[in-house]
Amino acid sequence: MIRPFLITALAASTAVLAATAVLSAQQTSTARPKFDGFEVATVKPIEHNPEGGRYFRMESNNRFVVRDYTLKLLIAAAYDLNPRTISGGPAWLDSEHYNIDALTPGDTKPVRTEQMAMLRGLLTERFHLAFHREQKEFSIYELTVAPHGPKLKPSTMKPDDPPALIATVYPPSKIVLPARNATVGELAAMMQRAMLDRPVVDKTGLTGRYDFDLEWAPDETQFGGEVPRASNDAPSPPLFVALQEQLGLKITATHGPVSTLVVDKADKPTDN
């Protein structure tokens, strides 16, 4: 069964689970419209269904959908945070689940940053979300360049082409992440937002845009435990080994200051 989850965009076939974090969608070099907010949005509480999958995506140029997200996960997506760095708020912040159906203005598909800006507005308007930031010491991962240097090839795409990071899960043995026109910072943001169990700090100093393919054997700490651990004889290496062998990047577990988000107020969503 295909079970899309987290930030999902593609489900290619019945043999492939697509767990996707698409950083942005269709984009052109012409002036883009201003996306001040969703034209209309429906927020519905639902019963959590682990078999149904959890995702958000653009289903057309102007239809934005979210399925089976808690408010904490919505905040993490909207503000590009690891969920563990979100605290405070009501008890239901991480237990009540919601579907969102919204229409974006115009005929141009908003890129991910525009989608998240509109989602932030919806969280304020419908959930009355209020918060403040605090620096806290956290268990983190530092992403650095491996001793023998990076193995990243400059992107062959145009600079204004939309970057994309799409992780496709092939149960039960591997995950494949083809990235195009992506920065290392965007990879780190995806890892902390959707893949790993703690914040990821990019300390590589790499600022270019790259095309690369990353393949690894998952374990139960990734994607919120939604992906089972690969077997011990899986042909692909573990994630941290794959990052070093395939991309020339190294991840180190350490501690460091993180800008966390503390929820001061949140209400159950207002009527649609």
Side-chain angles (χ1 to χ4, degrees), residues 31-39 104-106 108 110 114 118:
R32 297 186 59 78
K34 188 175 181 180
F35 294 95
D36 293 321
F38 296 119
E39 285 194 335
T104 63
T108 301
E114 294 161 339
M118 289 185 283

Side-chain angles (χ1 to χ4, degrees), residues 175-178 187 195 212-216 239 242-243 246-247:
I175 298 177
V176 178
L177 172 62
L187 172 62
M195 287 169 54
F212 58 84
D213 295 279
L214 181 65
E215 179 181 315
W216 74 95
L239 174 60
L243 280 165
Q246 300 168 25
L247 304 186

Side-chain angles (χ1 to χ4, degrees), residues 12 31 36 41 57 66 72 99 116 126-127 158 227 254 258-259 263:
D36 293 321
R57 64 188 176 208
V66 175
K72 176 178 275 192
N99 284 353
M116 295 304 98
R126 304 294 285 277
F127 288 88
K158 297 178 182 178
V227 176
T254 183
V258 174
S259 178
V263 176

Side-chain angles (χ1 to χ4, degrees), residues 15-19 167-177 214-219 222-223 227-231 233-239 246:
V16 177
L17 167 64
T168 304
V169 183
Y170 295 84
S173 60
K174 68 179 179 180
I175 298 177
V176 178
L177 172 62
L214 181 65
E215 179 181 315
W216 74 95
D219 65 44
Q222 298 164 21
F223 293 102
V227 176
R229 171 183 284 275
S231 61
D233 60 352
S236 303
L239 174 60
Q246 300 168 25

Side-chain angles (χ1 to χ4, degrees), residues 255-270:
H255 290 78
V258 174
S259 178
T260 69
L261 186 150
V262 181
V263 176
D264 299 314
K265 178 185 177 182
D267 298 325
K268 293 190 176 182
T270 53

Side-chain angles (χ1 to χ4, degrees), residues 12-76:
S13 72
T14 56
V16 177
L17 167 64
T20 307
V22 178
L23 291 177
S24 57
Q26 181 179 355
Q27 184 179 26
T28 67
S29 58
T30 58
R32 297 186 59 78
K34 188 175 181 180
F35 294 95
D36 293 321
F38 296 119
E39 285 194 335
V40 293
T42 301
V43 182
K44 292 183 178 180
I46 63 164
E47 290 292 327
H48 176 47
N49 178 16
E51 297 301 319
R54 182 171 74 243
Y55 60 89
F56 68 74
R57 64 188 176 208
M58 293 295 300
E59 292 198 336
S60 67
N61 277 0
N62 63 356
R63 183 166 183 252
F64 175 80
V65 301
V66 175
R67 293 293 178 263
D68 211 351
Y69 263 60
T70 64
L71 179 55
K72 176 178 275 192
L73 290 176
L74 288 170
I75 295 170

